[in-house]
Amino acid sequence: MEVRIDHTWKEVLQPEFDKPYFELLTSFVRREYTTKQCFPPAALIFNAFDSCPFDKVRVVIIGQDPYHDTGQAHGLCFSVNDGVRIPPSLDNIYKEIQRDLGKPAPPSGNLTRWAQQGVLLLNATLTVEAHKPGSHQNKGWEELTDAAIRELNSRRQNIVYMLWGAYAQRKGQFINRQQNLVLTAPHPSPLSAFKGFIGCGHFSKANAYLTQHGLPAIDW
């Protein structure tokens, strides 16, 4: 199947695009977008891949579902468009960056600047129906995003994986810990952020690891 996606990712994910599950997923998503309001905008479904080519990935952050309210989601996990109120989980991420690195929180929740530095901001499910969280789960997206992580794990090394919460940790359980840095913590949501996410130091740890391996640090 022909898929419009960054060419470096297209090369490694083409076997997935040719599988029956992806054809079923594509049909489902087209039907949903035609008949219902869905997020992110169709042109941004693969924004995480398009903004961070396969060979440029230095950090992977795994989310679960796109934001489901109007104007928020633009294809990068935890990120919202400029001008949108910063969601609680991202607010806690900014708080931890400030605590960890001493950097003040920016006024915008748009994390495109991270993606452009090599941070893959990957939701497990890439689409959602408006106001219905989890509505596009178990339709095939998880299989595709698992494949993306597997390809990174098999073809690349010295990547930092930030796995926040039980869902992300299960999704990344097969990552090679000898060839990469895997950082785990509770999810940054208000329900769990103060049970270990605040104070985890992931951002300084990531930069220290990248620097040790001759790679540029991330300007968080």
Side-chain angles (χ1 to χ4, degrees):
M1 179 175 288
E2 187 69 20
V3 177
R4 294 181 191 172
I5 193 172
D6 169 81
H7 71 94
T8 63
W9 280 106
K10 186 169 187 176
E11 179 183 334
V12 299
L13 292 177
Q14 188 60 53
E16 300 302 310
F17 300 150
D18 292 334
K19 291 179 180 178
Y21 87 84
F22 190 79
E23 186 172 351
L24 292 173
L25 171 63
T26 300
S27 297
F28 167 78
V29 170
R30 282 178 180 153
R31 185 169 62 252
E32 290 285 294
Y33 271 74
T34 300
T35 60
K36 302 170 184 176
Q37 184 181 25
C38 297
F39 302 122
L44 296 176
I45 290 173
F46 293 116
N47 193 24
F49 299 112
D50 292 335
S51 298
C52 186
F54 182 84
D55 55 336
K56 304 296 184 186
V57 176
R58 287 185 279 153
V59 177
V60 177
I61 298 176
I62 297 175
Q64 190 165 352
D65 227 20
Y67 294 119
H68 55 85
D69 286 336
T70 304
Q72 291 181 304
H74 64 124
L76 307 177
C77 73
F78 293 105
S79 181
V80 291
N81 282 302
D82 290 319
V84 175
R85 182 179 178 182
I86 295 173
S89 292
L90 181 54
D91 186 51
N92 286 328
I93 291 170
Y94 281 171
K95 286 177 180 175
E96 174 56 16
I97 291 172
Q98 185 167 10
R99 188 210 63 80
D100 190 19
L101 301 175
K103 293 190 65 172
S108 173
N110 190 328
L111 302 180
T112 300
R113 61 189 180 83
W114 290 6
Q116 291 171 342
Q117 296 179 76
V119 181
L120 180 65
L121 295 163
L122 185 64
N123 276 317
T125 303
L126 299 188
T127 57
V128 68
E129 183 182 345
H131 318 305
K132 292 187 177 181
S135 51
H136 289 187
Q137 291 178 1
N138 302 315
K139 301 296 184 182
W141 281 130
E142 295 90 344
E143 192 167 345
L144 178 70
T145 52
D146 278 350
I149 299 167
R150 280 199 307 271
E151 291 297 331
L152 283 169
N153 185 58
S154 64
R155 301 188 189 208
R156 299 280 317 281
Q157 58 186 30
N158 299 332
I159 291 174
V160 180
Y161 293 85
M162 296 183 177
L163 307 180
W164 300 332
Y167 183 90
Q169 288 160 26
R170 286 194 300 271
K171 196 168 180 69
Q173 61 188 356
F174 59 81
I175 296 166
N176 187 321
R177 265 72 170 168
Q178 280 69 52
Q179 296 182 347
N180 304 281
L181 176 64
V182 178
L183 301 172
T184 62
H187 194 276
S189 79
L191 296 174
S192 54
F194 291 93
K195 297 178 181 178
F197 178 80
I198 300 297
C200 69
H202 281 188
F203 303 96
S204 60
K205 290 174 183 176
N207 280 350
Y209 179 85
L210 292 171
T211 301
Q212 287 167 8
H213 290 84
L215 300 166
I218 304 295
D219 180 9
W220 299 106

